[in-house]
Amino acid sequence: MTKSILFSLTLVFITIACFAQDYYGNNRKQWLQKAEQYKPKLIITEKKPLKVVDIVPDTQSFQKYKAVDVSPIDSLYSYAFQTEKRDYD
């Protein structure tokens, strides 16, 4: 008895799910076209390092730190990036 009721309820829910209406079905294509139309263009800007600096405390500077030039950028690629402290000179 309970199996037949459970089976009947399952069939009812499956039938309702199959015939459920998609309220936004008519608008979905317009929304996708509008989204594609207003999609922003991706701007790519390549930034390259200019020099090697060391950040040191300075009570006179903004936010109490300043960047001090250590060496030209060419020296950066001659050292391993794995070490904690680098001696550039």
Side-chain angles (χ1 to χ4, degrees), residues 44-88:
I44 299 173
T45 305
E46 186 176 332
K47 300 287 185 177
K48 295 184 179 185
L50 302 175
K51 52 188 154 186
V52 178
V53 295
D54 192 14
I55 306 299
V56 295
D58 183 21
T59 57
Q60 303 298 320
S61 297
F62 177 67
Q63 294 185 345
K64 308 297 183 208
Y65 288 93
K66 69 177 181 178
V68 178
D69 293 347
V70 175
S71 62
I73 196 62
D74 298 337
S75 65
L76 177 69
Y77 301 109
S78 63
Y79 294 97
F81 288 101
Q82 299 161 336
T83 59
E84 287 187 20
K85 180 119 175 135
R86 296 181 195 98
D87 187 19
Y88 293 104

Side-chain angles (χ1 to χ4, degrees), residues 24-38:
Y24 302 110
N26 297 333
N27 297 335
R28 187 168 288 118
K29 187 174 183 180
Q30 294 171 348
W31 292 340
L32 289 173
Q33 287 173 349
K34 192 178 282 190
E36 193 65 36
Q37 178 184 358
Y38 291 109

Side-chain angles (χ1 to χ4, degrees), residues 7-38:
F7 181 72
S8 298
L9 285 175
T10 305
L11 282 179
V12 169
F13 286 128
I14 289 174
T15 305
I16 290 172
C18 290
F19 292 106
Q21 294 181 2
D22 183 7
Y23 293 109
Y24 302 110
N26 297 333
N27 297 335
R28 187 168 288 118
K29 187 174 183 180
Q30 294 171 348
W31 292 340
L32 289 173
Q33 287 173 349
K34 192 178 282 190
E36 193 65 36
Q37 178 184 358
Y38 291 109

